[in-house]
Amino acid sequence: MKEKLEAIRVKAQQELASITEQAQLENFRVAVLGKKGELTSILKAMGSLSAEERPVMGQLANEVRAFIEEKIQEKSNQLKEFELKREIESTPLFDISVPANLNCGSYHPITLVQRQCEAIFKSMGFTVEDYGEIVTDYECFESLNIPKDHPARDMQDTYYLENGQLLKTQTSAAQNAIYKKYKDALVNDGVPIKAIFPGRCFRNEATDACHENTFFQMEGVMVDRDISISNLIYFMKTMLSEVFRKDIKVRLRPGFFPFVEPGFELDISCLICGGEGCPSCKHSGWLELCPCGMIHPQVLKEGGIDPEKYTGFAFGLGLTRLAMMKYGIKDIRDLNSGSLKSLSQFTDDE
Ligand code: FA5
């Protein structure tokens, strides 16, 4: 029996070395350690051994089992790493010199990133909401604690219609409507509000490599009893690690937005220059990506939610900048250029 056990250990090592897929690994595990596996059938024969031999063989069999289990785990980790590497390497980087493929359509990089973010948040129980691009002053500013004479408006000048409506400057403009839509389920049935709402935003501002007058954001809110900054940090971390699938440097610093308290700026180290400083990050090495914070009590109240009982977080992810970082696009203006030559290279990502 001793020889048989040793032989299994050696054979297992040889077979493991040639395995390249998780499915193969599972078949191997069942063939050796499963109910009808090689090792299990040897253990079953243990009863025929003498009283002196049994504990010695029992100990050896356990050692062999533990050894093989450890090797299977190691192999599984190795395969997972390979798969992740393969996926990262197959993500196309933006290359303006790629010849145009005009025969078939392709998804815009922002659509790809938006869909990916939606899938991540849906898997964490968030609903995806749609909202208009033309909104009222109340939706875009007043319901968010930004009255008519508030200086925060200076940072978000926009385009106004003759009837007083405006092109929304931020996806936060949908917050009030979302709170009103879900407040009854929250209060009566205890269902937390967990929603994301991606959308196009417009600002009347000078453009440069990281600023456009028309860009995409994705807002997210969560409201329930006892929601804290730890919840906010958890969701931000999960989202970034799922999107980039690699370690990226992030910094959180205080930031002011009248509709959150406390408020933060979440920046990521610029992936175009590796944090050295370049036009894409205004030579700072960091890119403002996702401001966030705890929803201001006044904003909850305005949405019909009692801030004494409920708290929540909100974030405003810069989707266009996320697409820049994910695909290595140096100038944000390329994304609105409508250049089929640049955009067609993303065809294969879906
Ligand atoms: C806002 O728009 C806030 N509504 C975000 C927010 C939501 C804060 C919820 C707290 C709670 P800000 O103006 O910084 O914040 O824009 C948010 C993100 O949108 C920026 O970090 C950036 O990634 C992106 N962004 C803003 N302006 C532009 C622009 N002109 N071009 C491209 N992306 C932009």
Side-chain angles (χ1 to χ4, degrees):
M1 183 171 283
K2 187 168 178 231
E3 289 72 38
K4 274 189 188 166
L5 286 170
E6 287 301 347
I8 289 184
R9 193 203 301 251
V10 173
K11 191 167 142 237
Q13 261 180 305
Q14 285 163 350
E15 284 183 19
L16 275 169
S18 64
I19 286 178
T20 55
E21 304 280 342
Q22 289 286 0
Q24 267 179 300
L25 186 62
E26 179 56 15
N27 289 343
F28 167 81
R29 191 191 64 74
V30 173
V32 181
L33 304 179
K35 270 190 195 157
K36 294 183 185 158
E38 268 180 86
L39 188 65
T40 319
S41 47
I42 293 189
L43 291 180
K44 280 182 190 155
M46 206 71 90
S48 61
L49 296 178
S50 67
E52 296 84 57
E53 270 182 317
R54 215 175 295 146
V56 180
M57 285 306 135
Q59 194 187 347
L60 180 62
N62 281 340
E63 273 171 31
V64 172
R65 186 182 185 86
F67 175 81
I68 296 176
E69 278 172 349
E70 192 189 318
K71 292 290 162 200
I72 290 179
Q73 191 54 50
E74 269 173 24
K75 187 76 189 187
S76 170
N77 294 344
Q78 216 180 52
L79 291 177
K80 275 186 202 147
E81 239 173 70
F82 280 146
E83 275 157 24
L84 189 59
K85 201 161 163 244
R86 219 180 294 150
E87 193 189 320
I88 291 170
E89 281 167 359
S90 65
T91 302
L93 279 184
F94 183 77
D95 179 357
I96 201 142
S97 64
V98 168
N101 170 6
L102 300 180
N103 295 326
C104 56
S106 60
Y107 287 107
H108 194 282
I110 297 175
T111 306
L112 294 172
V113 170
Q114 179 179 325
R115 287 185 177 188
Q116 198 189 357
C117 290
E118 286 178 6
I120 294 167
F121 278 99
K122 271 196 218 165
S123 75
M124 298 191 286
F126 283 69
T127 59
V128 181
E129 307 287 329
D130 198 11
Y131 209 70
E133 292 179 349
I134 298 174
V135 297
T136 60
D137 190 273
Y138 174 79
E139 288 165 295
C140 201
F141 299 121
E142 286 182 48
S143 66
L144 292 165
N145 228 5
I146 311 178
K148 290 232 158 36
D149 54 356
H150 199 289
R153 289 196 180 212
D154 295 350
M155 287 180 290
Q156 299 196 8
D157 186 20
T158 183
Y159 306 91
Y160 286 82
L161 276 67
E162 279 175 1
N163 67 3
Q165 286 185 305
L166 49 103
L167 298 187
K168 75 167 184 250
T169 58
Q170 48 183 348
T171 41
S172 307
Q175 276 195 26
N176 187 262
I178 301 291
Y179 301 144
K180 287 178 177 158
K181 180 174 171 187
Y182 290 114
K183 71 177 169 37
D184 290 341
L186 173 72
V187 174
N188 301 333
D189 307 319
V191 181
I193 302 179
K194 289 169 91 177
I196 53 165
F197 23 111
R200 196 187 331 240
C201 302
F202 307 85
R203 290 189 196 176
N204 177 18
E205 63 184 12
T207 60
D208 59 30
C210 56
H211 288 88
E212 254 293 12
N213 49 34
T214 306
F215 58 95
F216 285 79
Q217 287 185 345
M218 191 184 83
E219 192 89 354
V221 293
M222 178 169 183
V223 183
D224 198 359
R225 290 183 188 270
D226 303 323
I227 296 294
S228 71
I229 296 174
S230 327
N231 299 100
L232 168 64
I233 291 174
Y234 169 79
F235 283 104
M236 296 294 91
K237 266 190 173 168
T238 307
M239 186 259 301
L240 290 174
S241 62
E242 289 281 318
V243 168
F244 289 104
R245 297 294 189 96
K246 64 178 175 188
D247 279 339
I248 46 160
K249 247 165 93 186
V250 175
R251 75 175 181 192
L252 200 63
R253 58 194 169 91
F256 174 71
F257 302 90
F259 37 96
V260 286
E261 178 56 38
F264 307 100
E265 288 282 1
L266 189 150
D267 306 333
I268 64 166
S269 174
C270 179
L271 299 177
I272 306 280
C273 60
E276 297 278 303
C278 68
S280 310
C281 57
K282 285 204 283 186
H283 302 281
S284 71
W286 294 95
L287 201 72
E288 282 177 16
L289 184 70
C290 187
C292 49
M294 299 305 292
I295 303 165
H296 195 287
Q298 183 54 35
V299 173
L300 285 176
K301 217 183 213 171
E302 199 64 36
I305 295 170
D306 183 352
E308 295 292 325
K309 292 190 181 145
Y310 299 97
T311 50
F313 66 74
F315 62 85
L317 173 68
L319 265 187
T320 308
R321 288 200 187 155
L322 190 62
M324 283 175 76
M325 291 296 111
K326 174 146 176 132
Y327 294 108
I329 299 167
K330 292 196 179 98
D331 195 315
I332 198 169
R333 290 165 291 196
D334 284 333
L335 289 163
N336 280 354
S337 69
S339 158
L340 293 180
K341 182 178 173 221
S342 308
L343 300 175
S344 60
Q345 60 191 285
F346 295 95
T347 311
D348 293 331
D349 202 32
E350 281 277 294

